[in-house]
Amino acid sequence: MKFVSFNVQYGFGSDGKYDPERIADAIKGADVIALQEVTRNLPKNSRADLPDVFAGLLPEFYHFFGAGTVADAGSGIVDGRAQMRQVEFGNMILSRHPILATRNILLPRTRTFDRLNLQRSALEALIGTPMGAIRVYSVHLDHRSPEERISQIAFLKERIINYPLEGGAVSGGAEFGFPELPSPEDYIIMGDFNMQPEQPEYIAMAGANDLYYGRTPNSSNPTDALDRLGKRGEGSYTWEEPGKPDIRQYLDYCFLSASLLPRLKDGWIDEACIGSDHKPVWVEIG
């Protein structure tokens, strides 16, 4: 199975062109897709309904959108009836296999006064695959504060590790005639973490790198798939500032549970893709 994470920057490419079709073309070979910076009613992209756009461009995929930020964007009374118009900003998951349950996890944040701070979130999807059920997370962390990213990572890891205790989105469904959902150990966390390798936030996510033993896979810390494969080289990057290709950072990751590491086959960054200011990050498991 192939998994891909892609921050789509509201549909705008590194060349400044709005073109969701080329985004869909770049990721349609995946089995599971995690998208970030997906919007509805954003003036910047002419109020496009991007969840509907991507669902239409990838019709063979089941899909779900989870908005972290929802704010009024021109609601009013039309013909005597209240009409709501809201701008939405969040994450999306698309899957060739049925999505059994979802949960939109709102991450901790602090109020700011001179810089934009959106409500960030992690969209969780329980997916039934031919290889068994797996949990997939599409994540977008804060872009301006390392301290806030660390608090968001701690909260997210607590949800992921405590999944068997919390029961995910729903448990005990038999009371209403639904089958009990699986509670898999396997998970993959994909997204734009707005952190660079070996920064404090990265260590909070993946654990410290021992000088002798490296990072020993364990149940408390997910593993950076591309680092595990030796594919995160010195010059690797997943984001470049539009119009300034000399300004590049490594911000996007695919993290795996230790239980999935024996099935990890490959991983790569599609640096040729210009559909966004970010690059798609791919992982293959067998």
Side-chain angles (χ1 to χ4, degrees):
M1 288 184 63
K2 292 180 180 178
F3 298 76
V4 63
S5 178
F6 198 8
N7 178 323
V8 299
Q9 197 193 204
Y10 331 122
F12 289 95
S14 57
D15 56 3
K17 295 180 180 178
Y18 173 75
D19 190 349
E21 287 83 0
R22 66 181 170 184
I23 292 172
D25 286 341
I27 57 179
K28 64 184 179 183
D31 296 289
V32 179
I33 300 166
L35 303 180
Q36 302 86 44
E37 290 196 9
V38 180
T39 60
R40 283 191 177 118
N41 280 324
L42 187 72
K44 184 178 177 67
N45 58 14
S46 301
R47 302 189 183 276
D49 184 342
L50 281 182
D52 187 65
V53 169
F54 287 124
L57 292 170
L58 299 163
E60 68 275 26
F61 286 78
Y62 302 95
H63 60 275
F64 196 86
F65 170 67
T69 296
V70 181
D72 184 73
S75 300
I77 303 297
V78 178
D79 296 329
R81 184 171 182 175
Q83 300 265 332
M84 294 187 67
R85 175 188 262 184
Q86 298 168 316
V87 62
E88 301 180 29
F89 174 95
N91 310 307
M92 189 172 183
I93 291 176
L94 301 98
S95 170
R96 293 186 187 276
H97 309 293
I99 298 174
L100 306 179
T102 62
R103 184 169 57 151
N104 199 36
I105 301 170
L106 301 183
L107 302 175
R109 63 182 294 272
T110 354
R111 184 182 182 187
T112 55
F113 293 90
D114 64 349
R115 290 291 185 271
L116 178 70
N117 188 11
L118 300 168
Q119 173 63 61
R120 304 295 178 140
S121 61
L123 179 61
E124 173 189 273
L126 176 64
I127 298 175
T129 82
M131 299 179 181
I134 186 172
R135 290 182 274 143
V136 175
Y137 298 82
S138 181
V139 178
H140 192 190
L141 299 188
D142 179 70
H143 67 289
R144 32 140 230 111
S145 169
E147 292 83 6
E148 190 142 303
R149 289 193 289 273
I150 287 174
S151 70
Q152 291 172 344
I153 286 167
F155 185 82
L156 176 61
K157 286 176 67 175
E158 187 176 15
R159 303 284 72 70
I160 290 169
I161 293 168
N162 287 341
Y163 184 93
L165 297 176
E166 296 178 357
V170 61
S171 58
E175 181 182 1
F176 286 85
F178 296 105
E180 191 66 22
L181 294 175
S183 184
E185 181 180 4
D186 298 339
Y187 62 77
I188 178 167
I189 313 166
M190 302 184 282
D192 175 6
F193 285 77
N194 276 309
M195 65 187 183
Q196 297 199 68
E198 306 309 327
Q199 288 184 327
E201 310 97 282
Y202 182 92
I203 293 171
M205 184 70 180
N209 190 23
D210 184 83
L211 291 177
Y212 186 79
Y213 291 102
R215 287 187 173 89
T216 302
N218 60 64
S219 59
S220 299
N221 297 317
T223 298
D224 179 351
L226 268 65
D227 181 51
R228 177 82 174 181
L229 291 163
K231 297 290 187 75
R232 202 190 71 202
E234 186 69 28
S236 297
Y237 68 98
T238 68
W239 172 86
E240 66 179 23
E241 188 167 336
K244 299 178 181 179
D246 56 320
I247 301 178
R248 292 172 170 173
Q249 296 183 349
Y250 196 111
L251 304 177
D252 304 81
Y253 301 84
C254 296
F255 290 98
L256 303 182
S257 60
S259 59
L260 276 178
L261 294 182
R263 295 165 55 186
L264 177 60
K265 301 298 182 184
D266 200 3
W268 62 94
I269 302 164
D270 182 2
E271 292 183 357
C273 180
I274 63 168
S276 171
D277 57 343
H278 289 252
K279 305 298 182 181
V281 180
W282 292 75
V283 164
E284 182 177 0
I285 62 173

